[in-house]
Amino acid sequence: MTGHVREAFRALRVRNFRLFAAGQIVSVAGTWMMVVAQDWLVLGLTGDSGPALATVTALQFIPLLLFTLHGGRLADRHDKRALLTAANLASGTLALLLALLVFTDTVRLWHVYAFALGLGMANSVEVPTRMAFVSELVGPQLLPNASALSAAYFNAARVVGPALSGLLITAAGTGWTMLVNAASYGATVAGLRLIRPAELHRAPRDTTRARVLDGLRHTARRGDLTVPMALVGAVGLFGMNFQLTLPLLAKSVFHSDASSFGLLTTAFASGSLAAAFVTTARRGRPAARVVTGSAIAFGAVEAAVGRAPSYAAAVALLFLTGFTAIYFAQAANHYIQLGSDPRYRGRVLALYTLILQGSTPLGAVLVGALTDRWGVRSALLTGGLVSLAAGCAAALAHRRCARRATHGGEIRSAEGHEAQGGAGAPGRREAHGGPGAQGGQEAHGAQEDVRP
């Protein structure tokens, strides 16, 4: 048993990752505390205005849509540790300024809007850079474990952070909560500066001008990357809208109070945390069938939530939904990250972030319209069935990609044998050093990358 536990946390044997993870745990908890404090502040300033809350969310999210790909380009071209330090210092400064405005009782709604926009700008650089930096901390062999541990502390903070924030707001007010969040960024910066650069697993940086378009072309040429990207988009668009469906499920279907709604949310978060710990056992790039199979499982369970006959059944099914949602997200992340060229990894992960996070608010509009017309059960059922169908379609697409890669490799291999047996030495030199050899290497790489 002790051996299994030790294996589950094996990435923490790496000193640099321990420092980074420790800072992230403090910072992520502070971020979730800030989410609650910021929302509470907006409601207090506006007299419980829903549109004001929506505006804050939109202002924080729009920079991610517009600039995440450029953030990935910066991550591929510059020192990721320096970029992360700068982004966290900027976020911490913004939180400190907002806290001071609250303490001096001079805060206005436009201040919160400006803070949200500035934080979104910082996150558009921080998110893709952080995702790409994990591979530099631990290397490709430990990347799945490190990524799973990151998901574990994120989901743990999602449970602990809001609870601590509620207690602190009640005891001392929103200003102190924001001040704690500002200080939490210092933990991340301290961990980053204590990291030993000589122990990082850095790939050679491209000395030419890194362009967003090059990253998009790299992804488009790779069927093993475009298929899971499309799958992530479909699941995010239709299936990952629980911030909208869970409150409606609790209130309009089961007529629950706030504590019962909290239990639904806790069930989902607990399943997510369990999946994060399960995926710590992963040692390499998962097979494509793991990605598509987990999407299918997620769709089936979410559809079942839409047909849950009782509150107790919904709690149990939401645990499974949280589990399959995070298992799918982790499998897709590992498959894409470990399959991409390190020179383009920042831009590829930026595209992954854009698709995953960009599809969710668009899906919220669609799901919101669906719930208004036919109720939240129909929204959950539709989201689950669409995710299930997308998983099946992605599985078929992966099989076709694998067959094409295998067929292409056989043709190039045959051409190579013919060249070796043909007209003398010049033909042999072309077979080994010319286009034929290059094509054979590309086919071999494609066979390694596409696993049905």
Side-chain angles (χ1 to χ4, degrees):
M1 184 67 175
T2 304
H4 289 299
V5 172
R6 192 181 297 114
E7 281 297 297
F9 295 94
R10 60 188 180 278
L12 292 176
R13 299 172 192 167
V14 180
R15 176 186 178 275
N16 282 348
F17 182 71
R18 285 199 306 273
L19 291 169
F20 180 75
Q24 283 291 300
I25 290 169
V26 176
S27 180
V28 172
T31 297
W32 280 105
M33 293 176 70
M34 183 69 180
V35 168
V36 175
Q38 177 182 277
D39 289 351
W40 199 255
L41 176 64
V42 170
L43 292 174
L45 290 172
T46 61
D48 298 342
S49 170
L53 276 179
T55 302
V56 170
T57 302
L59 288 171
Q60 194 164 315
F61 187 81
I62 285 171
L64 285 171
L65 285 177
L66 297 179
F67 303 116
T68 294
L69 292 177
H70 296 282
R73 178 182 67 85
L74 291 174
D76 284 335
R77 192 175 184 186
H78 299 289
D79 187 303
K80 297 177 182 64
R81 179 167 163 259
L83 284 174
L84 287 172
T85 300
N88 279 277
L89 284 174
S91 298
T93 301
L94 288 169
L96 177 61
L97 290 174
L98 189 59
L100 292 176
L101 288 171
V102 173
F103 281 130
T104 56
D105 201 26
T106 56
V107 66
R108 299 292 180 267
L109 185 60
W110 73 266
H111 293 144
V112 185
Y113 287 165
F115 166 77
L117 185 63
L119 185 62
M121 293 290 293
N123 285 341
S124 68
V125 175
E126 194 271 345
V127 172
T129 304
R130 170 168 41 83
M131 294 175 71
F133 188 55
V134 173
S135 63
E136 289 192 0
L137 289 169
V138 298
Q141 295 299 320
L142 287 174
L143 176 60
N145 181 256
S147 178
L149 289 174
S150 298
Y153 66 63
F154 179 87
N155 282 283
R158 187 168 65 175
V159 175
V160 175
L164 291 177
S165 183
L167 294 173
L168 189 55
I169 290 172
T170 302
T174 56
W176 284 103
T177 306
M178 293 174 180
L179 190 62
V180 169
N181 176 53
S184 73
Y185 287 105
T188 297
V189 172
L192 287 167
R193 302 325 297 172
L194 289 171
I195 283 173
R196 295 168 182 164
E199 297 176 9
L200 294 174
H201 300 258
R202 284 173 170 164
R205 279 203 296 270
D206 195 347
T207 55
T208 61
R209 183 168 175 259
R211 300 185 304 171
V212 171
L213 188 59
D214 294 332
L216 297 176
R217 285 173 176 166
H218 169 70
T219 305
R221 286 194 298 263
R222 296 278 302 278
D224 64 319
L225 297 182
T226 55
V227 171
M229 287 280 196
L231 179 57
V232 166
V235 173
L237 183 63
F238 293 99
M240 301 283 193
N241 294 287
F242 298 104
Q243 76 281 1
L244 174 63
T245 54
L246 287 188
L248 290 172
L249 184 68
K251 196 163 187 178
S252 64
V253 175
F254 298 116
H255 308 290
S256 304
D257 56 15
S259 61
S260 297
F261 164 57
L263 182 57
L264 292 179
T265 305
T266 301
F268 184 89
S270 298
S272 301
L273 187 59
F277 279 117
V278 167
T279 54
T280 59
R282 187 171 291 143
R283 290 182 171 274
R285 191 188 189 200
R289 62 178 175 272
V290 174
V291 180
T292 56
S294 57
I296 291 169
F298 166 75
V301 177
E302 184 181 18
V305 173
R307 303 294 297 169
S310 65
Y311 176 82
V315 170
L317 287 169
L318 280 171
F319 177 87
L320 295 176
T321 304
F323 184 94
T324 52
I326 292 300
Y327 196 93
F328 162 70
Q330 286 288 291
N333 181 300
H334 298 160
Y335 187 82
I336 291 168
Q337 187 167 180
L338 289 171
S340 60
D341 188 322
R343 293 174 300 168
Y344 302 101
R345 186 164 289 157
R347 282 162 285 182
V348 170
L349 289 174
L351 180 60
Y352 167 84
T353 302
L354 179 62
I355 291 172
L356 182 63
Q357 298 194 12
S359 59
T360 300
L362 296 176
V365 175
L366 296 174
V367 171
L370 200 60
T371 56
D372 284 342
R373 189 171 181 83
W374 289 295
V376 68
R377 284 189 182 274
S378 65
L380 287 164
L381 185 62
T382 301
L385 292 177
V386 171
S387 299
L388 190 154
C392 292
L396 293 174
H398 271 300
R399 287 195 179 94
R400 283 198 295 270
C401 288
R403 281 198 295 268
R404 279 200 300 269
T406 303
H407 182 63
E410 290 173 352
I411 292 175
R412 291 186 178 97
S413 179
E415 288 174 350
H417 285 304
E418 288 176 5
Q420 289 181 12
R428 284 194 295 273
R429 280 196 298 271
E430 183 177 344
H432 285 282
Q438 184 180 357
Q441 290 166 359
E442 291 174 356
H444 178 68
Q447 290 177 61
E448 289 181 344
D449 288 333
V450 181
R451 305 183 200 177

